[in-house]
Amino acid sequence: MTANDARHEAIRAAVLAILPETHSGEELRRFYDLLREYPRRSGKGIRGLATLLATEAHGAPWTHGLGAAAGLEAFQNWVLIHDDIEDDSDIRRGLPALHKKLGIPIALNIGDALHAYMWEYLLNLTFDHPCGRQILNEFVWIIHRTVEGQHLDLTWVEEGRFDIKEQDYLEMVYLKTACYTAIGPLRLGAWCAGLEPSWGFHEAGRLLGCAFQIRDDVLNLLPETTTGKEFAGDLYEAKRTLILAHLFAHASNRERQEIRDRLSRPRRERRAEDVDRILTLVNGYGSLHYAQEIAESLTREGLDKLRNSLPDPPDPSAFHRLESLFESVAIRSS
Amino acid sequence: MTANDARHEAIRAAVLAILPETHSGEELRRFYDLLREYPRRSGKGIRGLATLLATEAHGAPWTHGLGAAAGLEAFQNWVLIHDDIEDDSDIRRGLPALHKKLGIPIALNIGDALHAYMWEYLLNLTFDHPCGRQILNEFVWIIHRTVEGQHLDLTWVEEGRFDIKEQDYLEMVYLKTACYTAIGPLRLGAWCAGLEPSWGFHEAGRLLGCAFQIRDDVLNLLPETTTGKEFAGDLYEAKRTLILAHLFAHASNRERQEIRDRLSRPRRERRAEDVDRILTLVNGYGSLHYAQEIAESLTREGLDKLRNSLPDPPDPSAFHRLESLFESVAIRSS
């Protein structure tokens, strides 16, 4: 077991400990069990791990960051349940999405329950914490931004927008992904160590978080690397990604019209041949390659900013592992 | 303007003040505007008003209860957005349900945003409040119970349960309705006045809250009184109400089978003739009348318990208005 594995396991246990154990009534016992469904499925746990490493980098033991890390992973779990409904995704962490198992009504309600348990946990966690108020404020900020990014993402699909430019995309994923994936963990790590976060974390986290999302979009279109979701799900869901923005900017007028036609139908009317055809165009125009390059350049820039934000980290070894984590999730492994 | 009208208006303004004003970007400006859609539609505001009257009954000015009242109404708003999706309701407060206007994905996400704004508001409200921690705990308790009740309600429809007895129904609506409609306001009113709530509020609120829900179910099946929702929406949604439990307990085997058949189809396949036929049976067996009797007897019992819980209210006039409020929402007006 590596050092990161031990931390992953501790976060996972802490997330499950947020949830109620059992109920005297059979139906609510089943309900409590369903609350554990997504937290039990093993995710990458990147946000929690980043929070612990950021706590350590600031000189505190990682256990000081465990509460915030668990809170952030609990947040991720309820968001994923609701996201999967919103995107009508089929698969999550290698198993059917919750609403595919239980229907939208019950799954939606389970997401709400997890949301409330997250707040209960955070209230208890921060009650006596010297930086409790600041930690709560970070969570408020993270959730507001994530939901705003989600609104843009959904609206673009809903309104059939095909005019999304690279800059629009980056602003959307700053909100949807970077705030809770990178900026939040960096800032939470500082507060958990009792220190005020460096101002530079915002820009460093923005770059690293955007890089993470772009890499995630790339992996989604590589059959061998799609992890726990359906291959090319982003195309079935007609997600406006950097890849699609690049393709649209380079395709011919006729191809643009074709892409528009194939992606404008409702999700369940999109066929494998639509997706295959768009994949062919994506590969033909090098849009995947382009997106990967951007992810790597944002990562390099983000890591530079991160180092400048904390030039003299109290725990240089933990700081280095934090850098490696952000690097590993955005840089091509092969 | 009556005294209650002034309080209603103050709560409404306080709920809207929870939400962000404007955004520099056009799309998020529109998003912020959508957050106000349900809060702007005028609801009955019973929970907020009950909170204010309970605060006053405990001897504090009603303005001391305004924050908790607004928080409770904000809770009601996000819950209604999600409920309307879960029940696939058509109409809310006389206008199309939010997901009918915007689609499920965007409406669901707006509910999540309201949920987060509610917590942000409650954190600010309670930060310096002498009973801040207790007020937050009440909200945690209220939300957990409401979501549990919602789970039962949804599961019974989803699983095609026709064995729901009166006692099951009462346990479900205790969770789904009474906790946030009556128990919560009574207890919050005490804390807002800086006093520990009477233990009797739980049982009094349970009875009054259940009566409220039963009366609400009755009104739903009276064409002239359905307020802001579709007439007989509960039958279209196949809700397991006390009315249906009574009908099922009294109908012949053949009629039971017919009811089962007509209510087992998916919501959108239920026709006006299905609903008309069940309404005929409901009226034939006096199930509406029966439910109304139960609502009234629970109300009388609940008001007795309420008086015993606070035998010597610091503000008897406010206490009397609180009694009248609970009476008016469950007792037949004509």
Side-chain angles (χ1 to χ4, degrees):
Chain A
M1 209 185 215
T2 68
N4 281 357
D5 286 343
R7 286 162 179 72
H8 266 307
E9 204 34 64
I11 296 168
R12 192 181 139 88
V15 173
L16 289 169
I18 292 176
L19 302 170
E21 277 288 340
T22 189
H23 196 282
S24 58
E26 190 190 327
E27 289 168 301
L28 291 179
R29 197 157 55 238
R30 166 100 179 110
F31 175 65
Y32 285 3
D33 196 50
L34 289 170
L35 296 180
R36 295 166 174 267
E37 170 94 23
Y38 269 29
R40 253 199 235 108
R41 299 183 184 182
S42 49
K44 296 184 290 280
I46 287 157
R47 289 87 183 173
L49 186 56
T51 305
L52 295 193
L53 293 174
T55 304
E56 288 179 273
H58 284 88
W62 63 268
T63 47
H64 286 206
L66 192 53
L72 204 53
E73 291 293 325
F75 164 72
Q76 160 86 342
N77 277 292
W78 72 254
V79 162
L80 288 180
I81 293 174
H82 284 183
D83 268 18
D84 286 345
I85 296 172
E86 288 159 7
D87 296 338
D88 197 9
S89 300
D90 288 328
I91 300 174
R92 173 63 61 185
R93 296 176 179 166
L95 292 167
L98 202 61
H99 71 289
K100 292 288 169 184
K101 276 184 67 167
L102 305 170
I104 289 177
I106 292 174
L108 196 174
N109 191 55
I110 287 171
D112 286 340
L114 278 179
H115 189 165
Y117 277 103
M118 178 202 76
W119 280 112
E120 179 182 26
Y121 176 75
L122 292 175
L123 293 174
N124 292 332
L125 176 76
T126 55
F127 185 53
D128 277 334
H129 196 289
C131 300
R133 184 68 200 174
Q134 288 89 341
I135 291 171
L136 290 173
N137 285 345
E138 292 294 339
F139 273 91
V140 166
W141 181 82
I142 287 168
I143 300 175
H144 285 339
R145 298 296 83 77
T146 308
V147 171
E148 286 171 4
Q150 186 67 2
H151 180 75
L152 294 181
D153 195 27
L154 295 169
T155 305
W156 292 350
V157 175
E158 178 69 25
E159 295 181 351
R161 293 277 299 273
F162 285 96
D163 57 344
I164 305 306
K165 302 287 185 296
E166 186 163 321
Q167 192 52 39
D168 303 319
Y169 170 86
L170 289 173
E171 283 170 23
M172 184 271 282
V173 296
Y174 154 69
L175 294 167
K176 184 182 81 159
T177 307
C179 291
Y180 90 97
T181 303
I183 304 172
L186 291 171
R187 295 179 54 90
L188 284 169
W191 293 122
C192 289
L195 296 170
E196 180 141 354
S198 158
W199 278 103
F201 286 168
H202 187 272
E203 182 59 8
R206 186 183 73 76
L207 295 162
L208 295 168
C210 289
F212 170 85
Q213 183 61 61
I214 296 169
R215 174 67 181 162
D216 202 56
D217 297 346
V218 168
L219 292 177
N220 190 271
L221 299 191
L222 294 175
E224 68 277 20
T225 57
T226 311
T227 50
K229 301 186 211 168
E230 63 245 275
F231 165 60
D234 286 350
L235 291 179
Y236 283 102
E237 293 161 15
K239 286 283 168 210
R240 270 46 174 180
T241 59
L242 185 65
I243 300 159
L244 197 63
H246 179 271
L247 173 58
F248 226 70
H250 292 82
S252 68
N253 279 340
R254 203 170 130 182
E255 286 162 340
R256 260 203 286 272
Q257 188 54 49
E258 186 191 347
I259 297 164
R260 200 187 281 266
D261 290 344
R262 291 188 188 268
L263 290 182
S264 294
R265 285 195 282 277
R267 185 221 193 292
R268 293 289 155 195
E269 290 173 28
R270 201 139 25 250
R271 303 281 160 240
E273 60 169 80
D274 296 318
V275 168
D276 286 346
R277 171 67 181 143
I278 293 167
L279 275 174
T280 303
L281 289 168
V282 160
N283 290 314
Y285 282 103
S287 304
L288 265 189
H289 180 76
Y290 173 78
Q292 181 61 40
E293 296 274 292
I294 298 287
E296 300 193 5
S297 103
L298 292 176
T299 301
R300 281 189 296 272
E301 203 187 334
L303 290 174
D304 275 348
K305 301 254 185 212
L306 186 59
R307 283 185 283 266
N308 291 336
S309 304
L310 206 62
D312 199 11
D315 182 340
S317 150
F319 184 78
H320 184 66
R321 278 181 290 141
L322 180 62
E323 289 180 283
S324 301
L325 176 68
F326 283 121
E327 197 169 8
S328 70
V329 293
I331 305 282
R332 200 167 357 205
S333 54
S334 56
Chain B
M1 211 190 215
T2 68
N4 281 355
D5 286 343
R7 285 162 181 72
H8 267 306
E9 204 33 65
I11 295 168
R12 192 181 139 87
V15 173
L16 289 169
I18 292 175
L19 302 171
E21 279 286 343
T22 189
H23 195 283
S24 58
E26 189 190 329
E27 289 169 302
L28 291 179
R29 198 156 56 237
R30 167 100 177 108
F31 176 65
Y32 285 3
D33 196 51
L34 289 170
L35 295 180
R36 296 168 175 265
E37 169 95 26
Y38 270 29
R40 253 199 235 109
R41 299 182 184 183
S42 49
K44 295 184 291 279
I46 288 156
R47 289 89 183 172
L49 186 56
T51 305
L52 295 193
L53 293 173
T55 304
E56 289 179 273
H58 283 89
W62 62 269
T63 47
H64 286 206
L66 191 54
L72 205 52
E73 291 293 326
F75 164 71
Q76 160 85 343
N77 277 292
W78 72 254
V79 162
L80 288 180
I81 293 173
H82 285 183
D83 269 18
D84 287 345
I85 296 171
E86 288 158 8
D87 296 338
D88 197 11
S89 300
D90 288 328
I91 299 173
R92 173 63 63 185
R93 296 176 178 166
L95 293 167
L98 201 61
H99 70 287
K100 292 286 170 187
K101 274 184 68 167
L102 306 170
I104 289 177
I106 292 173
L108 196 173
N109 190 55
I110 287 171
D112 287 339
L114 278 178
H115 189 166
Y117 277 103
M118 178 203 76
W119 279 112
E120 180 181 26
Y121 176 75
L122 291 174
L123 293 173
N124 292 332
L125 177 75
T126 56
F127 186 55
D128 277 332
H129 196 288
C131 300
R133 184 69 200 175
Q134 289 91 337
I135 291 171
L136 290 173
N137 285 345
E138 292 295 340
F139 273 90
V140 165
W141 181 83
I142 288 168
I143 300 174
H144 286 338
R145 297 297 84 75
T146 308
V147 171
E148 286 171 5
Q150 186 67 3
H151 180 75
L152 295 180
D153 195 27
L154 295 169
T155 305
W156 292 350
V157 175
E158 178 69 25
E159 295 182 351
R161 293 277 299 274
F162 285 96
D163 58 343
I164 304 307
K165 301 287 183 298
E166 186 163 322
Q167 193 51 41
D168 303 318
Y169 170 86
L170 289 173
E171 283 171 23
M172 184 272 282
V173 296
Y174 154 69
L175 294 167
K176 185 182 81 161
T177 306
C179 292
Y180 91 96
T181 304
I183 304 172
L186 291 171
R187 295 178 53 89
L188 284 169
W191 292 124
C192 290
L195 295 169
E196 180 142 353
S198 159
W199 278 102
F201 285 168
H202 187 271
E203 183 59 7
R206 186 183 72 78
L207 295 161
L208 295 168
C210 288
F212 170 86
Q213 182 61 60
I214 296 169
R215 174 67 180 162
D216 202 57
D217 296 347
V218 168
L219 293 177
N220 189 269
L221 298 190
L222 294 173
E224 67 278 19
T225 57
T226 311
T227 50
K229 301 183 211 171
E230 64 244 274
F231 165 60
D234 286 350
L235 291 180
Y236 282 102
E237 294 162 16
K239 286 283 166 209
R240 270 49 174 178
T241 60
L242 185 66
I243 300 159
L244 196 63
H246 179 272
L247 173 59
F248 227 70
H250 293 81
S252 69
N253 280 339
R254 203 169 130 182
E255 287 163 340
R256 261 203 285 272
Q257 189 54 50
E258 186 191 347
I259 297 164
R260 202 187 279 268
D261 291 343
R262 291 188 188 269
L263 290 182
S264 294
R265 286 196 281 278
R267 187 225 193 289
R268 294 288 154 196
E269 291 173 26
R270 203 140 24 251
R271 303 280 161 241
E273 60 167 83
D274 296 319
V275 168
D276 287 347
R277 172 64 181 147
I278 294 167
L279 275 174
T280 304
L281 290 167
V282 160
N283 289 316
Y285 282 103
S287 304
L288 263 189
H289 181 76
Y290 173 78
Q292 181 61 40
E293 296 273 292
I294 299 287
E296 299 193 5
S297 104
L298 291 176
T299 301
R300 281 188 297 271
E301 204 188 333
L303 291 174
D304 276 349
K305 301 256 185 212
L306 187 59
R307 285 184 282 265
N308 291 336
S309 305
L310 206 63
D312 199 11
D315 181 341
S317 151
F319 184 78
H320 183 66
R321 278 181 288 141
L322 180 63
E323 291 179 281
S324 301
L325 175 68
F326 283 120
E327 198 169 8
S328 71
V329 292
I331 305 282
R332 201 168 355 210
S333 55
S334 56

